[in-house]
Amino acid sequence: RVAQELFDIPEGGIQSISYSTGLKVINSDQAFEYELQKIGIDPKNLATMSPEEFDSVTQGEGSPREKAKILTKKFGANFQSGRLGIILDGTGKDYDKIKRQRDALEAIGYDTAMIFVNTDLPTALSRNKERSRTLPDDIVKNMWTDVQKNIGSFSTFFGSSFNIIDNSEGSGARFIIKL
């Protein structure tokens, strides 16, 4: 949601485009929701699935999550081959993955920066319940903890190209960026 507001990106579709900047968004969540709906699963019901059911749609070859990642990777490769401007939209829970992505992008000539959108844990849990695709609270807590552990590493890695926005409830954050 923050990327939409920051970069004037409309909601909907598997791939999104910022009409004011031309940037393309790469995020597997929309494709994952699409893949779930194709097999008759309401993404809102992920939070109430048994661990076995949850794993069956999020783990392994042929799972909706894996199909979404493959589709998203294809979009990203197409964008990069055309050297289009991109926004990698993700959670930040895996520092090594983001480091590899940034290194690969810079190796082919991209300039990179990170906008780290942070919330406190109560806000993360609350917003999870409002999303079209909810996750079990324990998964949200674990992801939030992993993300928090990476803030220092991201700051060091991106240096002056690292920006934090506090998007916690009550923070009053409003997003204005001039590109």
Side-chain angles (χ1 to χ4, degrees), residues 3-14:
Q4 290 171 321
E5 194 167 337
L6 280 171
F7 297 104
D8 189 31
I9 300 167
E11 270 198 60
I14 291 177

Side-chain angles (χ1 to χ4, degrees), residues 153-173:
S153 298
F154 287 138
S155 177
T156 299
F157 184 60
F158 282 91
S160 63
S161 296
F162 179 75
N163 304 278
I164 297 179
I165 295 173
D166 180 3
N167 194 29
S168 300
E169 288 297 327
S171 69

Side-chain angles (χ1 to χ4, degrees), residues 12 29 35 48 53 67 98 114 116 129 131 136 140 148:
D29 289 347
E35 291 294 332
T48 59
E53 290 172 319
K67 288 178 181 179
I98 291 173
M114 177 179 247
F116 187 96
K129 292 182 183 1
R131 295 172 56 193
V140 174
Q148 297 306 304

Side-chain angles (χ1 to χ4, degrees), residues 1 7 17 27 29 38 41 47 59-60 65 69 71 73 80 100 121 127 136 144 149 172 176-177:
R1 191 159 291 276
F7 297 104
I17 301 169
N27 181 335
D29 289 347
K38 273 182 27 181
I41 295 176
Q59 312 272 323
R65 172 49 88 192
K69 286 180 181 180
L71 181 61
K73 196 172 200 174
Q80 290 173 38
R100 282 189 309 273
L121 182 57
R127 290 193 180 144
W144 182 88
K149 289 177 187 175
I176 300 171
I177 278 195

Side-chain angles (χ1 to χ4, degrees), residues 28-48:
S28 66
D29 289 347
Q30 292 169 327
F32 179 44
E33 290 180 21
Y34 172 76
E35 291 294 332
L36 287 171
Q37 291 168 348
K38 273 182 27 181
I39 60 171
I41 295 176
D42 183 345
K44 192 81 171 164
N45 294 335
L46 287 175
T48 59

Side-chain angles (χ1 to χ4, degrees), residues 17 21 35 45 54 67 77 84 87 94 124 132 145-146 159:
I17 301 169
T21 66
E35 291 294 332
N45 294 335
F54 186 83
K67 288 178 181 179
L84 302 176
I87 298 168
D94 185 345
S132 60
T145 299
D146 290 344

